[in-house]
Every structure is written in structure tokens, then in C-alpha cells.
Amino acid sequence: MGMRGLVKDVERETKRAQKVELADAHCHLDLITDHQLVLEAVNYGVLTIVTDGIDLVTSKTAIRISQLNKNVYAAVGIDPEKALYLEGMLVNRGVEDIKGLLKSNSERIVGIGEIGLDYTKAKDSSQIKRQKNMFEKMLDLANEFELPVSVHSRESMDDVLSILKEKGNKKVQLHFFEGNMQQAKDSERRGYMISIPPIDSSKRRSIIKDIAIDNLMPESDSPVVGATPKDVEKSVRMIAEVKGIDFERAAETLVSNTKRFFNIGAKPGFMRS
Ligand SMILES: [Zn+2]
């Protein structure tokens, strides 16, 4: 095929993609200062966006953004990096603050996140202990309020999986999944969702290949990795290619996975009570 034909194909693909509904299961809109970019993503078709907080301030911002934009839903929580700085009374204070948000803004909050463990950030056993302690408390909150969790893991997947098992949380999104195949398979067996960022790699492709599409969700993790939620298109395209299905069909399945996971639109006009 000549270059012109190829270009035409790309153009047609792009046009086609633009009409397809997409969902972004994890991002940080509080870090995107130009709100126009978010509106562009929505206009492009990203009609469901879950934005995560990493502490009290950013969780409040996530809720605020979700109140201003009907396509955006909030997850609230304290992430492992912030957990490093909390000890003693500050731990319970932090947990109580998040609990306060859950009680007062429950209709816009669809999950607890971002939470988890990050051993690239924890330097010694006492810091790891702080992260584990906060992670466990966030999982308890999720169980208490019957909310799904968005979990961050760096070089800590074994501990993440064992704590999740211990706590018994059922609805788990392994955000920016970086585990190995065995861990992916264990997660699939438990019914967890493996979340795929818009970064292509052969390891990621082999995991996508061996995990059922019903256990996959697309995320942009913008602006940390993707630029805006629109970049979930790259995750969806990668999943479609590996699964050997149409982009449209992959998008449709992944949107419904995301909505089901976060209980979005379960009933008309219903978010969560
Ligand atoms: Zn994140």
C-alpha cells in the first residue's frame, strides 16, 4: 500500500475513533490546570472520567471537579507517598478527614483512591510500615462504605495482593498494573480489574493477551503519564489490537467494565446513595 493510502487509513481510523465513547478509569484532573483540555477530552468521547485524590486537599479538589463536570467522578484517599509523612495522631486524623468527605459528598464519590504501597518511595522498614498502615485503613474505609478501590503498587505487588486478600475487598482496580503474569492471573481469579495505561510495552501486551477483557479497564493516569483523559484511546487501541477485535467493540466493553466497576449509571439519575 502506498503512503497516501496509509495516511487515508490513519485519517479514517482517527475519525472513527472520535465517535466512539471512551472511559478513563484513573487520572488526576487536579493537576491539569487548563480545564479546556478536559472539556476537549469529553467532546472527543471520554464521557466517564474518574479522577483520584492523593490526600485531603486533592481529594476535595477531585470532588469539586466532579461537581462541576457531570462526566467526572471522584475517588478520594491518601496515597503511599503522602502516607510516609503521617504517623501517630496524624494517621487517624487523615483517615477521619477522608471519612468526613465520604459522609458529606457520597453522591459524587465512586471509589477510594489513590491508595496502595510504593517501595520505590519507602526507604526503610518504618516507612514501609507507615504505608501498610495507611493502606489497610483505606481498605477498611472502602469496606465500610462499600466502595471500590484504586490501588497503586510499585515494587510491592506481593504485599499489595496479600493485604488485599487479608482485608477481603472485592472490587479492586490495580491501577497502572506493573505486576508479573502470575500476579495478574491471581488478580483475575479474585475478580480484580487490571488497569491499562497508555504506555505500550511487550510485557503489557502479554498480560492483556492472557487476561479476560472483562478484567481490564483503560486509564490515562493523566497528566502523570498521558497528557489528558483523551489518551485512554491509546490503551483501548492496544487492548483491541492484542485481543484482535474492533476498536469500537473494545471501547464498548471497556466503558461498560469501568461503569460497572465504579457503579456509575446503575440506575437512571443514580450515582451512589
Ligand atoms: Zn495515579
Side-chain angles (χ1 to χ4, degrees):
M1 188 196 312
M3 196 48 144
R4 190 166 299 169
L6 245 166
V7 169
K8 278 237 171 70
D9 266 9
V10 170
E11 278 170 2
R12 193 164 48 235
E13 272 300 304
T14 310
K15 279 221 182 77
R16 227 150 55 107
Q18 282 166 350
K19 283 182 253 156
V20 175
E21 182 181 342
L22 300 168
D24 185 353
H26 182 109
C27 65
H28 299 274
L29 296 189
D30 60 293
L31 297 174
I32 299 179
T33 46
D34 183 358
H35 194 65
Q36 194 58 37
L37 292 173
V38 179
L39 296 179
E40 276 171 26
V42 171
N43 286 335
Y44 191 75
V46 192
L47 302 185
T48 306
I49 302 171
V50 179
T51 186
D52 286 59
I54 58 167
D55 58 12
L56 178 63
V57 173
T58 52
S59 293
K60 278 183 176 168
T61 308
I63 294 168
R64 187 86 194 103
I65 297 169
S66 72
Q67 287 165 337
L68 295 171
N69 186 331
K70 69 177 174 51
N71 298 101
V72 178
Y73 302 86
V76 298
I78 297 173
D79 87 341
E81 238 183 302
K82 293 290 174 178
L84 290 177
Y85 304 101
L86 302 177
E87 63 170 342
M89 275 171 54
L90 290 177
V91 175
N92 285 334
R93 173 84 57 82
V95 175
E96 284 307 312
D97 285 342
I98 297 298
K99 196 169 179 172
L101 297 180
L102 291 170
K103 284 180 174 164
S104 58
N105 292 290
S106 61
E107 82 282 359
R108 295 306 293 169
I109 299 172
V110 295
I112 302 289
E114 161 164 9
I115 61 174
L117 302 176
D118 190 328
Y119 293 170
T120 67
K121 300 281 162 37
K123 285 179 203 70
D124 53 39
S125 60
S126 80
Q127 293 197 331
I128 286 177
K129 213 169 139 191
R130 280 184 202 175
Q131 287 192 347
K132 283 185 175 172
N133 187 27
M134 184 55 79
F135 183 36
E136 288 169 358
K137 287 190 154 57
M138 290 291 120
L139 293 174
D140 287 340
L141 267 190
N143 282 332
E144 184 184 339
F145 286 83
E146 297 180 359
L147 285 168
V149 290
S150 187
V151 178
H152 169 108
S153 170
R154 285 293 169 278
E155 295 177 17
S156 56
M157 192 55 85
D158 281 337
D159 284 353
V160 160
L161 290 178
S162 79
I163 290 172
L164 283 168
K165 191 173 206 172
E166 210 173 284
K167 288 293 175 186
N169 298 66
K170 294 278 179 286
K171 284 189 132 187
V172 175
Q173 172 193 22
L174 296 169
H175 138 67
F176 208 118
F177 185 80
E178 58 131 39
N180 59 35
M181 188 61 79
Q182 185 58 51
Q183 291 163 332
K185 279 285 169 195
D186 285 350
S187 304
E188 182 187 40
R189 260 192 298 278
R190 296 188 200 176
Y192 297 173
M193 302 300 281
I194 288 173
S195 196
I196 306 295
I199 307 286
D200 207 331
S201 79
S202 56
K203 185 189 173 195
R204 187 154 289 123
R205 281 181 180 255
S206 65
I207 282 173
I208 292 168
K209 183 168 179 281
D210 281 12
I211 297 297
I213 195 166
D214 284 341
N215 290 83
L216 299 178
M217 290 200 292
E219 65 166 85
S220 70
D221 200 20
S222 58
V224 182
V225 177
T228 79
K230 188 168 169 267
D231 288 308
V232 284
E233 187 189 340
K234 293 173 194 159
S235 307
V236 175
R237 198 168 292 286
M238 185 173 19
I239 293 167
E241 278 173 22
V242 174
K243 294 293 190 192
I245 58 175
D246 284 351
F247 177 83
E248 287 86 344
R249 217 185 110 207
E252 195 183 338
T253 304
L254 295 165
V255 165
S256 93
N257 290 356
T258 304
K259 287 183 177 173
R260 188 178 61 241
F261 180 78
F262 288 107
N263 293 311
I264 291 170
K267 294 184 214 161
F270 167 89
M271 245 86 71
R272 274 201 94 261
S273 57

